[in-house]
């Protein structure tokens, strides 16, 4: 399975998977070398300029409140079966 996310059904822009710690704080890839507060993944779908999407989020905000243990779980949560 790919970790690529399908486009949003409302605006056709693909969200991204964001690395977080277990509390949902955004982290970059270097954090994976020393994940002192656990590793989780969340979905980010930031509002694009001049695009009206009812589910898009503010910058640096997760879509919903779910955190996933793996990249695969995050992709499966967004992509339909």
């Amino acid at each position: 399975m790919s970790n690529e996310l399908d486009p949003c059904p409302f605006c056709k822009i693909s969200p991204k998977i964001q690395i977080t710690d277990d509390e949902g704080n955004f982290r970059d890839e270097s954090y994976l070398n020393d994940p002192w507060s656990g590793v989780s993944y969340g979905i980010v779908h930031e509002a694009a300029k001049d695009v009206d999407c009812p589910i898009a989020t503010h910058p640096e905000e997760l879509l919903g409140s779910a955190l996933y243990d793996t990249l695969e779980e995050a992709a499966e949560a967004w992509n339909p079966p």
Side-chain angles (χ1 to χ4, degrees):
M1 158 154 221
S2 170
N3 294 332
E4 295 293 317
L5 300 183
D6 292 343
C8 172
F10 299 105
C11 68
K12 307 303 181 211
I13 296 172
S14 292
K16 295 179 175 45
I17 297 175
Q18 173 66 48
I19 299 167
T20 71
D21 60 24
D22 284 345
E23 296 172 351
N25 300 305
F26 283 25
R27 304 293 181 180
D28 62 21
E29 286 195 28
S30 66
Y31 176 76
L32 297 175
N33 296 325
D34 184 22
W36 51 271
S37 186
V39 175
S40 294
Y41 300 89
I43 298 173
V44 175
H45 182 38
E46 292 182 4
K49 186 176 182 178
D50 299 327
V51 176
D52 187 25
C53 181
I55 66 169
T57 63
H58 298 288
E60 297 189 28
E61 183 178 290
L62 291 173
L63 180 62
S65 59
L67 294 176
Y68 305 95
D69 292 331
T70 66
L71 290 166
E72 293 80 14
E73 286 180 11
E76 286 175 11
W78 177 265
N79 295 335

